[in-house]
Amino acid sequence: MAASDGSKDGQDSILEPLCFPEQPADGSSVPSLQHPSAEPLVCLFCSESVPLLQKDVLLKHLLLEHKMVIADVKLIADLPKYMLYWKGRFLEQPVTDFCSVIKTNSTGPIEKQEDYFLLCDVLPEDRVLREKLQQKRLEEVLEQQQKERDDSSFHRLCMFCSEEFSGNRSSLLNHMAREHSFSIGLPDNIVYCNDFLDALQSKLDNLQCLYCEKTFRDKTTLKDHMRKKAHRRINANNHAYDRFYVINYLELGKTWEEVQSEDDRELVDDEDDDWSDWQAHPVSAVCLFCDHQSETMEQIYTHMKEAHGFDLHMLRTELNLRFYQQVKLVNFIRRQIHQSRCYGCQEKFDSRAAVLRHIMAEGHVMKLPDVSTWDQPQYYFPTYENDALLCTLSDSDEDESVKTNRGEDVPVIAEDISNLRALKQSSVLNQLLKSRSSCS
């Protein structure tokens, strides 16, 4: 996630939802399948350009200078080509012909209103472009995999015993699995094998455990650690390895576990579904003011009231907040604190710790600005995309029949799932496989 420094007042911006840390992992929950490229990223509207690895710089530029947001950037298979395509289209037609327009501060004075543009795959042309780029990437990966299968010039030493292997890569991978109990998967499931082995060898050369990724003082200590702790395996939570497995390219944006689970569900007869042994993983809600986490609504509300003097139940009752207003209020407070600004008086501070001290010292915990300040469409969107606190919100404690009559007039567009099977049959992968089989 990238955010601006807030060097200029009013320019505090969040490019995409933040994430609360769930575990000490290395980052993204989405496979990183965008290969480093020499092709630069170009701005959709001006001459600004950056290397692909600095894409956050360009996304920030698009947001601050052109008020443009591109949805699901991580799921675009070839970002440079995507940007070039839309740069050309925006020269031909106005941006409003393609993008959704989001108006901020819609109920405020006209001079304070701003229009932001959202480019996403709701637009059929954008969806087709993303699918074409994904199909091309999949074709490249399958072609690379076939080259590696046919390659007889492979030559490498085993990273554990230094035995030499020549010919096909499968001989080395099978050797490591059989003799050293170290398996990275079936050879036919792996692509960019040399890069994969180079990455693993680099970790060992740096005296780093392949699984827990801790660093040790010498090779002997590292070997003993990996043997005793059964750490002769790779860390599945390290998404840097995702690009080496073909299955991660089949459904861009999904991990192999998600793809596999979808396949498994199709094999199970609905009548035989048994959920008796299913265990839910507890989701912890994070306090608005500190790092405290609780697994139940009562616990997190009690903590915020006793530790910080913030009573969300009281605010909901006094202000008669409907569900979506509560959502906007929580997102508003989250964003203000993230940007080191007091949500009560709008004073800006140098750090998060400073603004929290101010809020407590000045008694601004329960002080909210005018409703028009935070009851804005922009706060429908979460500041933290895994904010479990939003899941604990509810309507006022009234009769269910009354609730249904006083909902906010918010348009909700349901996903059309009536043609789900037809969509699967027309997927990029199926089309590709059919064309390959017809050619053969």
Side-chain angles (χ1 to χ4, degrees):
M1 136 80 243
S4 73
D5 333 66
S7 55
K8 292 187 291 184
D9 190 39
Q11 294 294 299
D12 300 293
S13 304
I14 298 177
L15 301 185
E16 59 185 79
L18 301 159
C19 267
F20 288 117
E22 296 176 354
Q23 58 184 8
D26 61 351
S28 173
S29 60
V30 179
S32 177
L33 305 181
Q34 291 184 351
H35 297 237
S37 169
E39 191 174 359
L41 287 177
V42 296
C43 176
L44 301 175
F45 304 99
C46 66
S47 59
E48 183 80 10
S49 66
V50 298
L52 177 59
L53 293 177
Q54 298 178 19
K55 69 176 186 297
D56 282 347
V57 175
L58 188 65
L59 294 177
K60 175 181 174 181
H61 166 80
L62 283 172
L63 179 65
L64 299 183
E65 300 299 328
H66 306 292
K67 296 181 173 54
M68 165 66 71
V69 177
I70 301 175
D72 298 322
V73 174
K74 292 179 289 188
L75 306 187
I76 300 174
D78 192 332
L79 190 55
K81 286 186 171 56
Y82 178 89
M83 302 290 278
L84 282 173
Y85 175 88
W86 282 115
K87 186 179 181 72
R89 293 293 283 134
F90 290 161
L91 291 175
E92 298 170 355
Q93 294 176 235
V95 176
T96 50
D97 287 356
F98 306 102
C99 296
S100 302
V101 180
I102 302 173
K103 185 180 292 293
T104 62
N105 198 25
S106 58
T107 60
I110 295 179
E111 62 271 12
K112 291 189 177 181
Q113 296 180 5
E114 290 184 299
D115 288 340
Y116 283 81
F117 305 98
L118 176 64
L119 181 61
C120 63
D121 61 1
V122 171
L123 178 71
E125 184 176 352
D126 185 86
R127 181 173 182 81
V128 169
L129 174 61
R130 292 178 186 235
E131 288 179 348
K132 285 182 178 178
L133 293 175
Q134 178 183 339
Q135 179 172 346
K136 184 178 180 182
R137 172 56 49 82
L138 180 57
E139 290 175 342
E140 291 172 352
V141 168
L142 293 177
E143 183 178 353
Q144 174 66 24
Q145 186 190 43
Q146 190 61 47
K147 286 181 181 179
E148 294 180 5
R149 285 176 177 172
D150 300 336
D151 181 24
S152 59
S153 62
F154 180 85
H155 182 85
R156 200 175 187 103
L157 299 177
C158 172
M159 63 182 71
F160 298 109
C161 67
S162 297
E163 185 175 342
E164 191 172 347
F165 291 86
S166 299
N168 194 282
R169 60 187 182 149
S170 61
S171 57
L172 171 58
L173 300 183
N174 291 333
H175 163 80
M176 291 194 297
R178 183 178 60 252
E179 300 297 332
H180 304 291
S181 301
F182 178 76
S183 175
I184 57 176
L186 296 175
D188 284 344
N189 294 338
I190 293 172
V191 68
Y192 305 112
C193 184
N194 277 326
D195 292 344
F196 197 177
L197 295 174
D198 286 343
L200 298 175
Q201 185 66 58
S202 176
K203 285 187 179 294
L204 293 179
D205 291 343
N206 292 326
L207 305 178
Q208 194 173 10
C209 174
L210 297 178
Y211 180 73
C212 69
E213 302 184 343
K214 292 180 180 177
T215 303
F216 295 84
R217 64 177 181 272
D218 53 52
K219 286 188 176 181
T220 302
T221 307
L222 173 60
K223 284 183 178 180
D224 289 344
H225 163 81
M226 294 179 65
R227 177 176 55 82
K228 292 177 181 179
K229 297 290 186 179
H231 280 190
R232 279 196 175 179
R233 51 197 171 117
I234 65 172
N235 187 348
N237 292 322
N238 187 340
H239 294 288
Y241 299 135
D242 289 341
R243 64 179 290 254
F244 302 119
Y245 292 92
V246 174
I247 195 170
N248 285 320
Y249 294 88
L250 303 186
E251 294 282 349
L252 201 61
K254 294 182 180 179
T255 61
W256 68 267
E257 293 99 331
E258 292 170 323
V259 175
Q260 186 65 52
S261 65
E262 288 180 355
D263 294 340
D264 291 343
R265 284 197 297 271
E266 291 181 357
L267 297 175
V268 177
D269 187 357
D270 291 341
E271 296 179 357
D272 297 331
D273 284 347
D274 182 10
W275 296 79
S276 59
D277 59 347
W278 181 76
Q279 295 182 348
H281 296 285
V283 178
S284 297
V286 181
C287 172
L288 288 170
F289 306 98
C290 68
D291 296 330
H292 176 83
Q293 299 185 22
S294 299
E295 293 179 4
T296 67
M297 175 182 65
E298 290 78 12
Q299 289 175 350
I300 193 65
Y301 282 14
T302 300
H303 163 79
M304 289 194 294
K305 183 177 180 180
E306 295 180 351
H308 308 290
F310 184 82
D311 192 338
L312 187 56
H313 283 306
M314 180 185 296
L315 289 175
R316 186 186 73 179
T317 303
E318 290 181 351
L319 301 177
N320 194 24
L321 299 180
R322 297 185 291 269
F323 172 75
Y324 286 110
Q325 288 179 311
Q326 296 175 59
V327 168
K328 288 187 279 190
L329 177 59
V330 169
N331 289 332
F332 168 75
I333 294 176
R334 290 275 197 217
R335 185 171 301 188
Q336 297 301 301
I337 292 178
H338 169 74
Q339 294 173 345
S340 303
R341 180 182 288 109
C342 175
Y343 57 83
C345 67
Q346 299 297 296
E347 185 176 348
K348 188 78 166 64
F349 293 85
D350 294 331
S351 67
R352 173 189 171 93
V355 70
L356 290 175
R357 285 195 299 269
H358 162 83
I359 290 173
M360 299 302 171
E362 298 297 326
H364 287 181
V365 176
M366 292 289 286
K367 178 182 178 181
L368 297 180
D370 187 77
V371 174
S372 62
T373 302
W374 54 265
D375 194 2
Q376 296 289 332
Q378 68 207 63
Y379 297 116
Y380 279 125
F381 304 99
T383 302
Y384 296 88
E385 63 182 1
N386 58 344
D387 192 350
L389 181 60
L390 297 174
C391 301
T392 70
L393 303 176
S394 62
D395 281 317
S396 300
D397 302 324
E398 297 180 7
D399 185 75
E400 286 294 322
S401 61
V402 178
K403 273 194 218 176
T404 58
N405 294 327
R406 52 190 296 262
E408 186 173 355
D409 293 329
V410 177
V412 178
I413 303 174
E415 293 182 358
D416 183 3
I417 61 172
S418 58
N419 294 322
L420 182 58
R421 185 168 296 278
L423 286 173
K424 284 191 174 183
Q425 291 173 351
S426 62
S427 69
V428 171
L429 177 61
N430 283 337
Q431 292 174 11
L432 180 61
L433 294 179
K434 286 179 182 177
S435 63
R436 282 179 171 268
S437 60
S438 61
C439 293
S440 58

